[in-house]
Amino acid sequence: MLMTLIYRALIALVLFFILVNIWREKDIRNQAVGAMVTIPLLLRLLMLK
């Protein structure tokens, strides 16, 4: 149980920083890459595979 909470907290932290990076990025290609990385992380955060 504790390991799951730590795992989800780490995923949430990484997801937060990626979303901040997408928000600040000017280039649409880098935003698209960030969005592609965000989708699997969001699914992992919600525990969907």
Side-chain angles (χ1 to χ4, degrees):
M1 180 72 176
L2 182 64
M3 291 297 289
T4 303
L5 292 176
I6 293 171
Y7 175 74
R8 291 177 86 176
L10 287 173
I11 293 294
L13 185 66
V14 170
L15 188 60
F16 172 76
F17 285 125
I18 291 172
L19 290 173
V20 169
N21 190 24
I22 290 172
W23 185 263
R24 291 182 179 175
E25 186 61 48
K26 302 281 189 237
D27 186 21
I28 191 72
R29 288 184 185 188
N30 289 337
Q31 287 178 344
V33 170
M36 286 189 282
V37 170
T38 300
I39 293 169
L41 288 176
L42 185 61
L43 291 174
R44 286 185 184 268
L45 183 65
L46 297 173
M47 293 298 197
L48 302 173
K49 290 189 177 189

